[in-house]
């Protein structure tokens, strides 16, 4: 048993009994951790409030981590970056729902990964502080693959196709799982850029759906057991 002070990002929150929550967090120091927070839904007083555990909230926590248990306990919780728009803007709410579901499906490691934590922290602050966010989720997913180990190989970008299975560009455009033509052009617009450049990238509604489907397929091919998120349908409605 160890007492740990760390930053943490909430990935999901599940009601447990009438008054408790099980919260899954991605922590800066120890990766994925789950916490049982007893009585938080009924407590009128106390330092730990249910509102702290909305998806993608950024926290500073002091927790007891038990090597023999999947459920840990929280001693102290503070919000590090109070979001101004994420929970009040319907479009951003939908993006948050979608991304938290993707992260819950893709992050499994219970170990420190500072570059990944920093990416998530920075990305969600960017989402909160910018207005033109219709392509944010596309770039977020693509750049997340850097930390998951299958970011597209940018060598040979001038070739005529991109092989989703191999993650690289190719001229063998007749094979299965090859992106060509306009779909390839859409993908290239997102490669190698950061969030500040996303406002200059323009996609039609149809193109946005096309590239999202491509990226989801890319995840399915490279991550065992990854399935299309349920919240994808909500995202389609919001951006259509």
């Amino acid at each position: 048993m160890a007492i740990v002070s760390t930053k943490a990002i909430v990935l999901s929150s599940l009601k447990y009994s009438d008054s408790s929550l099980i919260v899954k967090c991605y922590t800066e120091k120890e990766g994925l951790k789950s916490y049982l927070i007893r009585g938080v839904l009924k407590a009128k007083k106390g330092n730990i409030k249910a509102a702290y555990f909305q998806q993608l909230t950024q926290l500073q926590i002091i927790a007891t981590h038990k090597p023999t248990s999947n459920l840990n306990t929280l001693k102290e919780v503070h919000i590090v970056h109070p979001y101004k728009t994420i929970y009040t803007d319907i479009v951003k709410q939908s993006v948050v729902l979608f991304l938290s579901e993707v992260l819950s499906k893709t992050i499994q490691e219970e170990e420190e990964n500072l570059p990944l934590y920093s990416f998530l922290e920075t990305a969600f602050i960017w989402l909160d502080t910018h207005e033109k966010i219709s392509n944010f989720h596309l770039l977020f997913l693509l750049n997340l693959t850097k930390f998951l180990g299958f970011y597209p190989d940018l060598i040979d970008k001038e070739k005529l196709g991109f092989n989703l299975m191999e993650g690289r560009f190719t001229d063998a455009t007749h094979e299965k799982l090859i992106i060509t033509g306009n779909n390839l052009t859409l993908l290239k617009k997102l490669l190698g850029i950061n969030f500040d450049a996303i406002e200059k990238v323009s996609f039609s509604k149809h193109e946005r759906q096309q590239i999202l489907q491509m990226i989801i397929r890319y995840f399915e091919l490279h991550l065992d057991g990854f399935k299309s998120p349920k919240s994808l349908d909500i995202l389609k409605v919001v951006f259509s």
Side-chain angles (χ1 to χ4, degrees):
M1 187 182 298
I3 293 177
V4 177
S5 175
T6 179
K7 287 194 280 189
I9 295 170
V10 178
L11 298 186
S12 66
S13 177
L14 183 69
K15 191 176 177 184
Y16 176 75
S17 75
D18 285 343
S19 61
S20 304
L21 287 174
I22 292 175
V23 176
K24 190 193 288 185
C25 291
Y26 186 65
T27 71
E28 184 179 42
K29 290 189 177 171
E30 298 200 359
L32 194 66
K33 290 288 175 188
S34 293
Y35 302 94
L36 175 58
I37 309 161
R38 294 186 186 279
V40 70
L41 297 177
K42 292 209 170 157
K44 298 220 166 48
K45 295 178 182 175
N47 296 326
I48 300 180
K49 298 177 171 51
Y52 293 170
F53 305 109
Q54 295 183 84
Q55 287 153 315
L56 305 188
T57 301
Q58 299 191 31
L59 305 172
Q60 178 72 41
I61 63 172
I62 296 176
T64 305
H65 288 171
K66 307 167 199 159
T68 56
S69 171
N70 290 330
L71 287 176
N72 304 281
T73 52
L74 289 174
K75 290 177 166 295
E76 287 183 35
V77 181
H78 303 282
I79 293 180
V80 185
H81 296 290
Y83 296 136
K84 293 179 175 64
T85 65
I86 276 181
Y87 302 129
T88 55
D89 181 309
I90 186 75
V91 176
K92 290 185 181 183
Q93 281 178 340
S94 305
V95 171
V96 164
L97 188 68
F98 172 71
L99 294 183
S100 58
E101 189 182 349
V102 169
L103 291 171
S104 293
K105 288 172 181 282
T106 55
I107 296 179
Q108 306 297 336
E109 293 74 25
E110 292 192 29
E111 59 194 38
E112 180 183 84
N113 184 337
L114 292 178
L116 173 55
Y117 192 90
S118 178
F119 167 72
L120 298 177
E121 185 178 50
T122 307
F124 301 143
I125 292 170
W126 193 98
L127 176 63
D128 185 52
T129 53
H130 289 73
E131 290 180 12
K132 295 180 181 175
I133 58 104
S134 56
N135 298 322
F136 171 87
H137 58 296
L138 304 175
L139 184 60
F140 178 92
L141 291 180
L142 199 55
N143 284 356
L144 179 63
T145 66
K146 290 177 186 174
F147 306 95
L148 300 175
F150 54 97
Y151 189 73
D153 186 341
L154 299 183
I155 296 171
D156 300 327
K157 258 178 87 172
E158 74 288 345
K159 289 194 172 178
L160 299 175
F162 179 78
N163 186 315
L164 285 171
M165 181 65 92
E166 296 178 5
R168 62 184 180 84
F169 291 91
T170 177
D171 280 330
T173 54
H174 58 283
E175 295 177 12
K176 277 186 179 178
L177 299 170
I178 303 287
I179 296 171
T180 58
N182 189 49
N183 284 349
L184 184 66
T185 305
L186 299 179
L187 177 66
K188 284 183 177 180
K189 283 185 180 183
L190 292 174
L191 289 172
I193 67 169
N194 62 19
F195 289 116
D196 286 333
I198 197 72
E199 296 185 7
K200 300 185 185 76
V201 176
S202 63
F203 295 124
S204 69
K205 290 169 188 174
H206 176 69
E207 287 174 337
R208 195 173 292 119
Q209 300 287 7
Q210 289 280 101
I211 192 157
L212 181 56
Q213 292 294 351
M214 277 192 286
I215 295 172
I216 294 290
R217 185 71 183 115
Y218 192 49
F219 272 67
E220 288 172 343
L221 290 167
H222 289 267
L223 293 172
D224 282 347
F226 183 86
K227 291 190 175 66
S228 186
K230 293 174 184 170
S231 51
L232 187 61
D233 290 339
I234 299 169
L235 209 60
K236 284 178 181 172
V237 171
V238 165
F239 285 120
S240 67

